Short mmCIF file of all heavy atoms in Angstrom, two decimals:
data_model
loop_
_atom_site.label_atom_id
_atom_site.label_comp_id
_atom_site.label_asym_id
_atom_site.label_seq_id
_atom_site.Cartn_x
_atom_site.Cartn_y
_atom_site.Cartn_z
N MET A 1 0.85 -1.20 -0.01
CA MET A 1 0.01 -0.01 -0.01
C MET A 1 0.89 1.25 0.00
O MET A 1 1.77 1.37 0.83
CB MET A 1 -0.88 0.01 1.24
CG MET A 1 -1.90 1.15 1.22
SD MET A 1 -2.62 1.36 2.85
CE MET A 1 -4.15 0.49 2.62
N LYS A 2 0.65 2.17 -0.94
CA LYS A 2 1.47 3.35 -1.03
C LYS A 2 0.62 4.60 -1.11
O LYS A 2 -0.26 4.66 -1.98
CB LYS A 2 2.43 3.27 -2.24
CG LYS A 2 3.50 2.27 -2.10
CD LYS A 2 4.76 2.62 -2.89
CE LYS A 2 5.82 1.56 -2.78
NZ LYS A 2 6.58 1.66 -1.53
N ILE A 3 0.85 5.51 -0.27
CA ILE A 3 0.09 6.77 -0.25
C ILE A 3 1.12 7.91 -0.43
O ILE A 3 1.97 8.07 0.40
CB ILE A 3 -0.73 6.95 1.09
CG1 ILE A 3 -1.65 5.74 1.25
CG2 ILE A 3 -1.51 8.27 1.00
CD1 ILE A 3 -2.16 5.60 2.70
N ASP A 4 1.00 8.66 -1.52
CA ASP A 4 2.00 9.67 -1.83
C ASP A 4 2.04 10.76 -0.73
O ASP A 4 3.09 11.32 -0.47
CB ASP A 4 1.68 10.30 -3.18
CG ASP A 4 2.14 9.41 -4.30
OD1 ASP A 4 3.03 8.56 -4.09
OD2 ASP A 4 1.57 9.51 -5.39
N ALA A 5 0.92 11.14 -0.18
CA ALA A 5 0.90 12.20 0.84
C ALA A 5 1.77 11.85 2.03
O ALA A 5 2.36 12.76 2.63
CB ALA A 5 -0.51 12.42 1.31
N ASP A 6 1.95 10.58 2.34
CA ASP A 6 2.76 10.17 3.46
C ASP A 6 4.24 10.33 3.17
O ASP A 6 5.06 10.37 4.06
CB ASP A 6 2.48 8.73 3.83
CG ASP A 6 1.18 8.58 4.60
OD1 ASP A 6 0.65 9.58 5.06
OD2 ASP A 6 0.63 7.47 4.65
N LYS A 7 4.60 10.40 1.89
CA LYS A 7 6.01 10.45 1.52
C LYS A 7 6.70 11.68 2.08
O LYS A 7 7.87 11.65 2.40
CB LYS A 7 6.16 10.39 -0.02
CG LYS A 7 5.83 9.04 -0.59
CD LYS A 7 6.86 7.99 -0.25
CE LYS A 7 6.39 6.62 -0.70
NZ LYS A 7 7.22 5.54 -0.09
N GLU A 8 5.93 12.76 2.14
CA GLU A 8 6.56 14.05 2.61
C GLU A 8 7.02 13.92 4.04
O GLU A 8 8.01 14.53 4.45
CB GLU A 8 5.53 15.17 2.49
CG GLU A 8 5.32 15.59 1.01
CD GLU A 8 4.36 16.74 0.94
OE1 GLU A 8 4.37 17.61 1.81
OE2 GLU A 8 3.60 16.78 0.00
N PHE A 9 6.35 13.09 4.85
CA PHE A 9 6.73 12.90 6.23
C PHE A 9 7.75 11.80 6.36
O PHE A 9 8.35 11.67 7.40
CB PHE A 9 5.48 12.60 7.08
CG PHE A 9 4.46 13.69 7.02
CD1 PHE A 9 3.34 13.53 6.21
CD2 PHE A 9 4.60 14.86 7.73
CE1 PHE A 9 2.40 14.53 6.12
CE2 PHE A 9 3.67 15.87 7.65
CZ PHE A 9 2.53 15.73 6.83
N GLY A 10 7.97 11.05 5.29
CA GLY A 10 8.93 9.95 5.35
C GLY A 10 8.29 8.70 5.86
O GLY A 10 7.77 8.65 6.97
N SER A 11 8.33 7.65 5.03
CA SER A 11 7.79 6.36 5.45
C SER A 11 8.58 5.28 4.77
O SER A 11 9.25 5.49 3.78
CB SER A 11 6.30 6.26 5.13
OG SER A 11 6.11 6.29 3.74
N ARG A 12 8.45 4.08 5.30
CA ARG A 12 9.14 2.95 4.68
C ARG A 12 8.20 1.77 4.74
O ARG A 12 7.32 1.68 5.60
CB ARG A 12 10.44 2.61 5.43
CG ARG A 12 10.22 2.49 6.91
CD ARG A 12 11.52 2.61 7.64
NE ARG A 12 11.26 2.91 9.08
CZ ARG A 12 12.14 2.90 10.02
NH1 ARG A 12 13.38 2.67 9.76
NH2 ARG A 12 11.84 3.18 11.24
N GLU A 13 8.38 0.87 3.73
CA GLU A 13 7.51 -0.24 3.64
C GLU A 13 7.93 -1.39 4.57
O GLU A 13 9.08 -1.73 4.65
CB GLU A 13 7.49 -0.75 2.17
CG GLU A 13 6.34 -1.66 1.92
CD GLU A 13 6.26 -2.00 0.42
OE1 GLU A 13 5.77 -1.11 -0.33
OE2 GLU A 13 6.69 -3.06 0.01
N CYS A 14 6.98 -1.83 5.33
CA CYS A 14 7.22 -2.92 6.28
C CYS A 14 7.45 -4.21 5.49
O CYS A 14 6.65 -4.58 4.65
CB CYS A 14 6.06 -3.10 7.22
SG CYS A 14 6.18 -4.56 8.25
N PRO A 15 8.59 -4.90 5.73
CA PRO A 15 8.83 -6.16 4.98
C PRO A 15 7.89 -7.27 5.40
O PRO A 15 7.76 -8.27 4.73
CB PRO A 15 10.29 -6.52 5.35
CG PRO A 15 10.71 -5.61 6.44
CD PRO A 15 9.70 -4.54 6.63
N GLY A 16 7.28 -7.09 6.58
CA GLY A 16 6.39 -8.13 7.10
C GLY A 16 4.99 -8.10 6.46
O GLY A 16 4.46 -9.15 6.10
N CYS A 17 4.44 -6.88 6.30
CA CYS A 17 3.04 -6.80 5.86
C CYS A 17 2.88 -5.80 4.72
O CYS A 17 1.75 -5.56 4.30
CB CYS A 17 2.12 -6.45 7.05
SG CYS A 17 2.47 -4.82 7.73
N ALA A 18 3.97 -5.16 4.25
CA ALA A 18 3.93 -4.23 3.11
C ALA A 18 3.16 -2.95 3.39
O ALA A 18 2.74 -2.26 2.51
CB ALA A 18 3.41 -4.91 1.85
N MET A 19 2.95 -2.68 4.69
CA MET A 19 2.27 -1.44 5.07
C MET A 19 3.32 -0.32 5.20
O MET A 19 4.43 -0.56 5.62
CB MET A 19 1.60 -1.71 6.43
CG MET A 19 0.79 -0.53 6.95
SD MET A 19 -0.74 -0.30 6.04
CE MET A 19 -1.23 1.31 6.71
N ASP A 20 2.93 0.91 4.81
CA ASP A 20 3.82 2.05 5.01
C ASP A 20 3.83 2.44 6.50
O ASP A 20 2.82 2.73 7.06
CB ASP A 20 3.34 3.26 4.16
CG ASP A 20 3.88 3.11 2.70
OD1 ASP A 20 4.79 2.34 2.51
OD2 ASP A 20 3.33 3.80 1.84
N VAL A 21 5.07 2.45 7.02
CA VAL A 21 5.24 2.81 8.45
C VAL A 21 6.03 4.12 8.49
O VAL A 21 7.02 4.26 7.78
CB VAL A 21 6.02 1.67 9.14
CG1 VAL A 21 6.20 2.01 10.65
CG2 VAL A 21 5.27 0.36 9.02
N PRO A 22 5.63 5.12 9.30
CA PRO A 22 6.39 6.35 9.44
C PRO A 22 7.84 6.10 9.86
O PRO A 22 8.08 5.17 10.63
CB PRO A 22 5.60 7.16 10.50
CG PRO A 22 4.25 6.55 10.54
CD PRO A 22 4.41 5.11 10.19
N GLU A 23 8.77 6.94 9.38
CA GLU A 23 10.18 6.66 9.65
C GLU A 23 10.50 6.84 11.14
O GLU A 23 11.45 6.24 11.63
CB GLU A 23 11.07 7.63 8.82
CG GLU A 23 11.31 7.13 7.43
CD GLU A 23 12.21 8.04 6.61
OE1 GLU A 23 12.62 9.11 7.13
OE2 GLU A 23 12.52 7.68 5.49
N ASN A 24 9.75 7.66 11.83
CA ASN A 24 10.03 7.85 13.26
C ASN A 24 9.46 6.70 14.09
O ASN A 24 9.61 6.67 15.27
CB ASN A 24 9.53 9.21 13.73
CG ASN A 24 8.00 9.37 13.53
OD1 ASN A 24 7.35 8.48 13.03
ND2 ASN A 24 7.50 10.52 13.91
N ASN A 25 8.75 5.80 13.40
CA ASN A 25 8.18 4.65 14.13
C ASN A 25 9.06 3.44 13.88
O ASN A 25 9.11 2.96 12.74
CB ASN A 25 6.75 4.41 13.64
CG ASN A 25 5.95 3.57 14.60
OD1 ASN A 25 6.50 2.96 15.51
ND2 ASN A 25 4.63 3.59 14.48
N ASN A 26 9.75 2.96 14.87
CA ASN A 26 10.69 1.84 14.69
C ASN A 26 9.98 0.50 14.67
O ASN A 26 10.65 -0.51 14.45
CB ASN A 26 11.76 1.85 15.78
CG ASN A 26 12.84 2.92 15.46
OD1 ASN A 26 13.08 3.20 14.29
ND2 ASN A 26 13.48 3.42 16.47
N ARG A 27 8.71 0.48 14.96
CA ARG A 27 7.97 -0.78 14.98
C ARG A 27 6.71 -0.65 14.16
O ARG A 27 5.97 0.34 14.28
CB ARG A 27 7.67 -1.15 16.47
CG ARG A 27 6.96 -2.49 16.56
CD ARG A 27 6.78 -2.83 18.01
NE ARG A 27 7.35 -4.13 18.28
CZ ARG A 27 7.27 -4.74 19.48
NH1 ARG A 27 6.69 -4.13 20.49
NH2 ARG A 27 7.77 -5.94 19.66
N CYS A 28 6.45 -1.66 13.35
CA CYS A 28 5.22 -1.66 12.54
C CYS A 28 4.01 -1.81 13.47
O CYS A 28 3.96 -2.80 14.25
CB CYS A 28 5.27 -2.81 11.52
SG CYS A 28 3.75 -2.94 10.59
N PRO A 29 3.05 -0.90 13.36
CA PRO A 29 1.90 -1.00 14.25
C PRO A 29 0.93 -2.13 13.80
O PRO A 29 0.07 -2.51 14.57
CB PRO A 29 1.18 0.37 14.06
CG PRO A 29 1.65 0.89 12.77
CD PRO A 29 3.02 0.31 12.52
N ILE A 30 1.10 -2.65 12.59
CA ILE A 30 0.19 -3.67 12.10
C ILE A 30 0.65 -5.08 12.51
O ILE A 30 -0.10 -5.82 13.13
CB ILE A 30 0.09 -3.59 10.54
CG1 ILE A 30 -0.27 -2.15 10.08
CG2 ILE A 30 -0.96 -4.63 10.03
CD1 ILE A 30 -1.57 -1.59 10.62
N CYS A 31 1.93 -5.41 12.23
CA CYS A 31 2.39 -6.77 12.47
C CYS A 31 3.46 -6.86 13.53
O CYS A 31 3.85 -7.96 13.93
CB CYS A 31 2.88 -7.39 11.14
SG CYS A 31 4.46 -6.71 10.56
N GLY A 32 3.92 -5.69 14.01
CA GLY A 32 4.93 -5.68 15.10
C GLY A 32 6.32 -5.88 14.63
O GLY A 32 7.24 -6.06 15.49
N TYR A 33 6.59 -5.81 13.34
CA TYR A 33 7.98 -5.92 12.85
C TYR A 33 8.82 -4.75 13.36
O TYR A 33 8.39 -3.61 13.32
CB TYR A 33 7.99 -5.96 11.30
CG TYR A 33 9.38 -5.94 10.72
CD1 TYR A 33 10.04 -7.14 10.57
CD2 TYR A 33 9.99 -4.77 10.36
CE1 TYR A 33 11.33 -7.14 10.01
CE2 TYR A 33 11.26 -4.73 9.83
CZ TYR A 33 11.93 -5.93 9.65
OH TYR A 33 13.19 -5.93 9.15
N GLU A 34 10.00 -5.10 13.88
CA GLU A 34 10.89 -4.05 14.39
C GLU A 34 11.96 -3.72 13.38
O GLU A 34 12.70 -4.56 12.90
CB GLU A 34 11.56 -4.48 15.71
CG GLU A 34 10.58 -4.40 16.85
CD GLU A 34 11.28 -4.63 18.21
OE1 GLU A 34 12.31 -3.96 18.45
OE2 GLU A 34 10.82 -5.50 18.93
N PHE A 35 12.04 -2.46 12.96
CA PHE A 35 13.04 -2.01 12.03
C PHE A 35 14.40 -1.90 12.76
O PHE A 35 14.45 -1.37 13.85
CB PHE A 35 12.68 -0.65 11.42
CG PHE A 35 11.49 -0.70 10.53
CD1 PHE A 35 10.25 -0.48 11.02
CD2 PHE A 35 11.63 -1.03 9.19
CE1 PHE A 35 9.12 -0.58 10.20
CE2 PHE A 35 10.51 -1.10 8.37
CZ PHE A 35 9.29 -0.88 8.83
N PRO A 36 15.47 -2.44 12.15
CA PRO A 36 16.75 -2.52 12.86
C PRO A 36 17.39 -1.15 13.11
O PRO A 36 17.89 -0.90 14.20
CB PRO A 36 17.62 -3.36 11.92
CG PRO A 36 16.95 -3.33 10.59
CD PRO A 36 15.51 -3.12 10.83
N ASN A 37 17.37 -0.26 12.15
CA ASN A 37 18.05 1.04 12.29
C ASN A 37 17.19 2.13 11.65
O ASN A 37 16.33 1.86 10.87
CB ASN A 37 19.36 1.01 11.49
CG ASN A 37 20.31 0.04 12.08
OD1 ASN A 37 20.58 0.01 13.27
ND2 ASN A 37 20.85 -0.86 11.26
N PRO A 38 17.48 3.38 12.01
CA PRO A 38 16.89 4.49 11.25
C PRO A 38 17.35 4.36 9.81
O PRO A 38 18.47 3.92 9.54
CB PRO A 38 17.48 5.75 11.89
CG PRO A 38 17.97 5.29 13.23
CD PRO A 38 18.35 3.85 13.10
N THR A 39 16.50 4.81 8.89
CA THR A 39 16.83 4.65 7.48
C THR A 39 18.03 5.44 7.12
O THR A 39 18.17 6.57 7.62
CB THR A 39 15.64 5.05 6.59
OG1 THR A 39 15.24 6.33 6.94
CG2 THR A 39 14.45 4.09 6.71
N PRO A 40 18.92 4.96 6.25
CA PRO A 40 20.12 5.69 5.85
C PRO A 40 19.79 7.05 5.20
O PRO A 40 20.50 8.02 5.40
CB PRO A 40 20.75 4.79 4.77
CG PRO A 40 20.26 3.45 5.07
CD PRO A 40 18.85 3.62 5.61
N ARG A 41 18.67 7.12 4.51
CA ARG A 41 18.26 8.40 3.86
C ARG A 41 18.13 9.49 4.91
O ARG A 41 18.52 10.62 4.71
CB ARG A 41 16.94 8.19 3.14
CG ARG A 41 16.53 9.33 2.24
CD ARG A 41 15.34 8.94 1.35
NE ARG A 41 14.17 8.69 2.19
CZ ARG A 41 13.28 9.66 2.50
NH1 ARG A 41 13.49 10.92 2.09
NH2 ARG A 41 12.26 9.41 3.21
N GLN A 42 17.55 9.11 6.06
CA GLN A 42 17.34 10.11 7.13
C GLN A 42 18.72 10.61 7.63
O GLN A 42 18.89 11.83 7.87
CB GLN A 42 16.57 9.47 8.27
CG GLN A 42 15.70 10.43 9.05
CD GLN A 42 14.79 9.69 9.99
OE1 GLN A 42 15.01 8.56 10.32
NE2 GLN A 42 13.79 10.41 10.47
N LYS A 43 19.64 9.72 7.80
CA LYS A 43 21.01 10.12 8.21
C LYS A 43 21.61 11.02 7.20
O LYS A 43 22.26 12.00 7.53
CB LYS A 43 21.87 8.86 8.39
CG LYS A 43 21.62 8.13 9.70
CD LYS A 43 22.59 6.97 9.80
CE LYS A 43 22.32 6.16 11.08
NZ LYS A 43 23.10 4.96 11.12
N HIS A 44 21.48 10.68 5.91
CA HIS A 44 22.08 11.52 4.86
C HIS A 44 21.48 12.88 4.88
O HIS A 44 22.20 13.88 4.67
CB HIS A 44 21.85 10.86 3.48
CG HIS A 44 22.89 9.81 3.16
ND1 HIS A 44 23.94 10.06 2.32
CD2 HIS A 44 23.04 8.55 3.61
CE1 HIS A 44 24.64 8.97 2.24
NE2 HIS A 44 24.17 8.02 2.98
N MET A 45 20.16 12.96 5.08
CA MET A 45 19.53 14.27 5.08
C MET A 45 20.08 15.15 6.19
O MET A 45 20.31 16.33 6.02
CB MET A 45 18.00 14.12 5.30
CG MET A 45 17.28 13.52 4.09
SD MET A 45 17.40 14.49 2.59
CE MET A 45 16.11 15.64 2.90
N LYS A 46 20.34 14.56 7.37
CA LYS A 46 20.89 15.32 8.48
C LYS A 46 22.28 15.75 8.17
O LYS A 46 22.68 16.89 8.45
CB LYS A 46 20.90 14.47 9.76
CG LYS A 46 19.52 14.41 10.42
CD LYS A 46 19.57 13.58 11.69
CE LYS A 46 18.17 13.51 12.32
NZ LYS A 46 18.15 12.60 13.47
N LEU A 47 23.09 14.86 7.56
CA LEU A 47 24.45 15.20 7.19
C LEU A 47 24.51 16.30 6.19
O LEU A 47 25.24 17.28 6.32
CB LEU A 47 25.14 13.95 6.64
CG LEU A 47 26.63 14.10 6.30
CD1 LEU A 47 27.45 14.28 7.54
CD2 LEU A 47 27.12 12.86 5.54
N TRP A 48 23.67 16.21 5.10
CA TRP A 48 23.63 17.25 4.10
C TRP A 48 23.13 18.58 4.66
O TRP A 48 23.65 19.62 4.33
CB TRP A 48 22.79 16.82 2.93
CG TRP A 48 23.55 15.91 1.98
CD1 TRP A 48 23.38 14.57 1.80
CD2 TRP A 48 24.61 16.29 1.11
NE1 TRP A 48 24.24 14.10 0.95
CE2 TRP A 48 25.04 15.11 0.47
CE3 TRP A 48 25.25 17.49 0.87
CZ2 TRP A 48 26.11 15.13 -0.44
CZ3 TRP A 48 26.31 17.53 -0.04
CH2 TRP A 48 26.71 16.35 -0.69
N GLY A 49 22.19 18.49 5.54
CA GLY A 49 21.67 19.69 6.20
C GLY A 49 22.78 20.41 6.95
O GLY A 49 22.92 21.65 6.83
N ALA A 50 23.59 19.67 7.69
CA ALA A 50 24.70 20.24 8.42
C ALA A 50 25.76 20.81 7.50
O ALA A 50 26.29 21.93 7.73
CB ALA A 50 25.33 19.18 9.30
N LEU A 51 26.07 20.15 6.39
CA LEU A 51 27.04 20.65 5.42
C LEU A 51 26.58 21.92 4.74
O LEU A 51 27.36 22.87 4.58
CB LEU A 51 27.33 19.57 4.37
CG LEU A 51 28.27 18.43 4.83
CD1 LEU A 51 28.27 17.31 3.79
CD2 LEU A 51 29.67 18.94 5.09
N ILE A 52 25.27 21.95 4.41
CA ILE A 52 24.75 23.14 3.76
C ILE A 52 24.77 24.32 4.72
O ILE A 52 25.17 25.41 4.31
CB ILE A 52 23.32 22.88 3.22
CG1 ILE A 52 23.38 21.92 2.01
CG2 ILE A 52 22.60 24.16 2.85
CD1 ILE A 52 22.12 21.23 1.64
N MET A 53 24.42 24.11 5.96
CA MET A 53 24.48 25.17 6.95
C MET A 53 25.89 25.72 7.12
O MET A 53 26.14 26.91 7.25
CB MET A 53 23.96 24.65 8.32
CG MET A 53 22.47 24.47 8.37
SD MET A 53 21.52 25.99 8.12
CE MET A 53 21.80 26.79 9.70
N LEU A 54 26.86 24.80 7.12
CA LEU A 54 28.29 25.16 7.24
C LEU A 54 28.71 25.99 6.05
O LEU A 54 29.39 27.00 6.19
CB LEU A 54 29.13 23.85 7.40
CG LEU A 54 30.66 24.13 7.66
CD1 LEU A 54 30.83 24.67 9.01
CD2 LEU A 54 31.41 22.79 7.51
N ALA A 55 28.30 25.54 4.83
CA ALA A 55 28.65 26.25 3.60
C ALA A 55 28.10 27.66 3.62
O ALA A 55 28.79 28.62 3.29
CB ALA A 55 28.15 25.49 2.40
N ILE A 56 26.81 27.82 4.02
CA ILE A 56 26.19 29.13 4.09
C ILE A 56 26.91 29.98 5.12
O ILE A 56 27.18 31.17 4.85
CB ILE A 56 24.66 28.98 4.43
CG1 ILE A 56 23.92 28.34 3.25
CG2 ILE A 56 24.07 30.33 4.82
CD1 ILE A 56 22.56 27.88 3.59
N PHE A 57 27.28 29.43 6.22
CA PHE A 57 27.97 30.13 7.25
C PHE A 57 29.33 30.66 6.75
O PHE A 57 29.67 31.83 6.97
CB PHE A 57 28.21 29.17 8.45
CG PHE A 57 28.95 29.81 9.63
CD1 PHE A 57 28.28 30.71 10.47
CD2 PHE A 57 30.27 29.45 9.86
CE1 PHE A 57 28.95 31.28 11.53
CE2 PHE A 57 30.91 30.03 10.94
CZ PHE A 57 30.26 30.95 11.77
N LEU A 58 30.06 29.83 6.07
CA LEU A 58 31.34 30.20 5.47
C LEU A 58 31.22 31.30 4.44
O LEU A 58 32.01 32.29 4.42
CB LEU A 58 32.05 29.01 4.85
CG LEU A 58 32.68 28.00 5.84
CD1 LEU A 58 33.16 26.74 5.11
CD2 LEU A 58 33.86 28.65 6.58
N ILE A 59 30.19 31.22 3.61
CA ILE A 59 29.96 32.24 2.56
C ILE A 59 29.67 33.57 3.21
O ILE A 59 30.23 34.60 2.85
CB ILE A 59 28.80 31.81 1.62
CG1 ILE A 59 29.27 30.64 0.72
CG2 ILE A 59 28.33 33.01 0.81
CD1 ILE A 59 28.15 29.91 0.08
N VAL A 60 28.87 33.57 4.28
CA VAL A 60 28.54 34.80 4.99
C VAL A 60 29.80 35.41 5.63
O VAL A 60 30.06 36.62 5.52
CB VAL A 60 27.46 34.54 6.05
CG1 VAL A 60 27.24 35.74 6.97
CG2 VAL A 60 26.10 34.23 5.37
N ILE A 61 30.63 34.57 6.26
CA ILE A 61 31.85 35.05 6.85
C ILE A 61 32.83 35.64 5.83
O ILE A 61 33.36 36.72 6.00
CB ILE A 61 32.55 33.88 7.63
CG1 ILE A 61 31.71 33.43 8.81
CG2 ILE A 61 33.95 34.27 8.08
CD1 ILE A 61 31.55 34.41 9.96
N LEU A 62 32.98 34.94 4.70
CA LEU A 62 33.86 35.40 3.64
C LEU A 62 33.40 36.75 3.04
O LEU A 62 34.23 37.58 2.63
CB LEU A 62 34.02 34.37 2.53
CG LEU A 62 34.86 33.13 2.97
CD1 LEU A 62 34.72 32.02 1.88
CD2 LEU A 62 36.30 33.47 3.15
N ARG A 63 32.10 36.94 2.94
CA ARG A 63 31.60 38.21 2.45
C ARG A 63 31.83 39.36 3.38
O ARG A 63 31.97 40.50 2.98
CB ARG A 63 30.03 38.06 2.20
CG ARG A 63 29.74 37.38 0.85
CD ARG A 63 28.23 37.23 0.64
NE ARG A 63 27.97 36.71 -0.65
CZ ARG A 63 27.16 37.30 -1.55
NH1 ARG A 63 26.56 38.42 -1.27
NH2 ARG A 63 26.95 36.75 -2.70
N LEU A 64 31.83 39.03 4.67
CA LEU A 64 32.06 40.08 5.68
C LEU A 64 33.53 40.50 5.70
O LEU A 64 33.83 41.63 6.07
CB LEU A 64 31.64 39.61 7.05
CG LEU A 64 30.11 39.45 7.28
CD1 LEU A 64 29.82 38.76 8.57
CD2 LEU A 64 29.43 40.84 7.23
N LEU A 65 34.44 39.61 5.31
CA LEU A 65 35.87 39.94 5.38
C LEU A 65 36.29 40.88 4.21
O LEU A 65 35.71 40.77 3.11
CB LEU A 65 36.71 38.70 5.31
CG LEU A 65 36.60 37.81 6.55
CD1 LEU A 65 37.27 36.45 6.33
CD2 LEU A 65 37.22 38.48 7.76
ZN1 ZN B 101 4.12 -4.79 9.29
#
């Protein structure tokens, strides 16, 4: 089951029952499957967010000099 509206909040398909489970939910509410780790995509998003913030910070500093 796939609902596009849920994609904005982040979801992953449960391997047990194919239900979309929110990324912040480590356990499937339908069948009780436990996801081993946070999804790599979420980690990448945080990493890229930090890098972009650092880049903007550096650009602002360089412009001030
Ligand atoms: Zn499930």
Side-chain angles (χ1 to χ4, degrees):
M1 185 194 262
K2 290 207 183 282
I3 302 161
D4 282 337
D6 284 343
K7 289 290 173 194
E8 286 183 38
F9 302 101
S11 64
R12 52 199 162 171
E13 193 172 284
C14 172
C17 65
M19 182 73 191
D20 277 343
V21 180
E23 276 182 359
N24 59 0
N25 199 344
N26 281 332
R27 182 175 235 185
C28 175
I30 308 301
C31 70
Y33 175 85
E34 283 189 53
F35 292 92
N37 296 310
T39 54
R41 191 171 65 89
Q42 210 171 17
K43 281 183 183 173
H44 276 259
M45 290 299 278
K46 280 181 182 174
L47 184 67
W48 278 109
L51 282 171
I52 289 163
M53 286 298 286
L54 186 67
I56 290 167
F57 180 74
L58 284 171
I59 288 163
V60 170
I61 294 291
L62 287 170
R63 278 179 175 233
L64 288 172
L65 290 171

